Amino acid sequence: MKKILISVPILLALGSALFFGYKHSAEETQKDYIHYDWAKNKLWDDGMAEVALYEATKEIYGKSRPFEYVYILVKEEFNKAYRVKTDDYSREDLYSVMKINKFCRVETLAYPYHFLTSVFMHRDNPESLHKLSHTSQEWCGTTSKQFLEKGNKYQYDYMSYFDGEGSGQAKIEQGPWFEDQLSYSLRTLNFTDGLEFDILLYPTQVNNKAELPKPVKAHVRVMKSNPGTELEGLISDLIQEPWKVIVAKDNQESLTYWINNTYRNYILKMESTDGRSLLLKEIKRDKYWDYE
């Protein structure tokens, strides 16, 4: 039998493809409404994070609850062995991601809810989610879940205190966006008045359930904003030629974002028909991990 020899570079390429799943060529996958170099700006290599503080609301037990929401955006180097932030920057298996951490404490009459959501996007593709993890803690119990690229699927691992859920693993399709990435991916649009496109969208994972997510169709529409009437209560120094972006889902829910048109395209405000809202109060670049 004739032996077939495969060179080391080809083996490495095959291994990388199997590890992350097959990726189409840039010509096949890139869309004209996404600015794919958005996160390649040298700003993100300065070793600091963008820390944004929002006034927020969320409905729990049928009542709108006010709270503060912290959004953190920072570039990190992952390694392929563990797909987490590396401690060894001399490794040869490093790749860059943009991490969006979202943390909040929501008070109810009896006890608080704590939510931490971590969204990891490929640095060179701001619509491509690499990993998403979420945990919730409150007096009734703890729920955790993670979605991680594996081949052409996301591997979904979960642990819930709810009957009928418990602990388990499943797979869901790659391709649809997660609602929890919108606060990043929408910032990277090529903003023009009248821009419209369709996506599939998995629901937000900011909750204490571990249900198998199912995508719905959503229509995204960009238009000019009227900051005088639509951004009332926002610090005027934060407003810079904002756009209004409406994400309308087929299930009748919709989200509206107001986003600055100047780089870094801050999320100024968000309103959802399910009672969630955000209003930017402060934003800065900081090494939040350096404090006592």
Side-chain angles (χ1 to χ4, degrees):
M1 181 181 292
K2 185 177 179 181
K3 293 183 178 179
I4 299 176
L5 300 178
I6 303 177
S7 67
V8 170
I10 292 176
L11 283 171
L12 290 174
L14 288 171
S16 179
L18 289 171
F19 185 83
F20 289 107
Y22 174 73
K23 302 296 181 185
H24 295 285
S25 68
E27 291 76 18
E28 290 177 304
T29 60
Q30 291 197 355
K31 303 174 179 68
D32 57 9
Y33 52 79
I34 297 288
H35 178 25
Y36 285 87
D37 290 335
W38 190 90
K40 294 181 181 178
N41 191 298
K42 292 182 179 179
L43 167 77
W44 305 106
D45 296 313
D46 68 358
M48 302 183 76
E50 175 188 284
V51 181
L53 177 64
Y54 291 92
E55 288 182 358
T57 60
K58 179 179 176 67
E59 285 191 6
I60 298 178
Y61 296 134
K63 182 178 179 181
S64 180
R65 313 284 176 172
F67 61 98
E68 288 190 342
Y69 220 149
V70 178
Y71 279 32
I72 296 169
L73 174 59
V74 63
K75 187 209 79 171
E76 290 186 344
E77 296 300 314
F78 270 30
N79 62 59
K80 292 181 182 178
Y82 298 101
R83 286 187 275 184
V84 296
K85 183 180 178 183
T86 193
D87 288 331
D88 181 2
Y89 289 87
S90 67
R91 297 175 62 118
E92 296 183 356
D93 65 343
L94 302 183
Y95 59 101
S96 297
V97 299
M98 301 298 288
K99 177 179 78 174
I100 308 98
N101 265 2
K102 306 177 183 183
F103 173 77
C104 65
R105 173 189 171 102
V106 186
E107 296 284 353
T108 67
L109 183 63
Y111 55 85
Y113 282 73
H114 296 87
F115 298 117
L116 175 61
T117 311
S118 297
V119 180
F120 301 90
M121 307 295 297
H122 288 286
R123 187 182 187 186
D124 60 358
N125 188 340
E127 65 166 341
S128 178
L129 183 136
H130 176 48
K131 177 179 170 182
L132 185 155
S133 61
H134 173 76
T135 59
S136 70
Q137 303 88 32
E138 29 89 4
W139 286 12
C140 295
T142 298
T143 295
S144 65
K145 42 194 171 179
Q146 176 177 272
F147 301 85
L148 181 63
E149 277 186 309
K150 192 169 185 179
N152 61 355
K153 306 274 189 180
Y154 287 115
Q155 180 173 301
Y156 176 32
D157 295 282
Y158 59 89
M159 185 279 294
S160 164
Y161 69 84
F162 282 98
D163 189 15
E165 295 180 357
S167 299
Q169 186 179 91
K171 290 185 178 180
I172 63 171
E173 294 295 328
Q174 284 193 47
W177 291 14
F178 280 84
E179 185 180 313
D180 305 296
Q181 76 181 74
L182 290 176
S183 62
Y184 174 77
S185 296
L186 293 182
R187 294 174 64 174
T188 71
L189 295 180
N190 287 318
F191 292 97
T192 54
D193 191 21
L195 172 66
E196 297 186 53
F197 58 94
D198 294 315
I199 57 174
L200 289 173
L201 194 63
Y202 286 122
T204 178
Q205 297 303 303
V206 183
N207 51 52
N208 58 358
K209 293 295 187 73
E211 299 169 341
L212 188 69
K214 296 180 180 179
V216 298
K217 292 180 180 178
H219 184 71
V220 182
R221 184 159 53 103
V222 178
M223 63 190 72
K224 292 181 179 179
S225 170
N226 185 340
T229 58
E230 296 177 330
L231 296 175
E232 187 176 352
L234 191 70
I235 299 172
S236 60
D237 291 347
L238 297 174
I239 302 174
Q240 300 164 8
E241 305 175 22
W243 292 98
K244 183 177 181 179
V245 182
I246 300 173
V247 182
K249 305 179 191 178
D250 272 7
N251 62 5
Q252 306 304 312
E253 290 183 4
S254 66
L255 303 99
T256 303
Y257 291 82
W258 285 263
I259 305 173
N260 272 341
N261 189 38
T262 55
Y263 197 78
R264 294 166 295 185
N265 310 101
Y266 305 137
I267 300 289
L268 301 170
K269 180 180 176 181
M270 185 278 290
E271 291 182 345
S272 173
T273 54
D274 65 3
R276 287 173 291 152
S277 70
L278 297 170
L279 185 67
L280 182 62
K281 302 308 295 181
E282 178 185 332
I283 192 162
K284 61 183 178 180
R285 294 194 63 73
D286 194 16
K287 291 185 177 181
Y288 63 88
W289 53 86
D290 273 356
Y291 297 95
E292 294 181 2

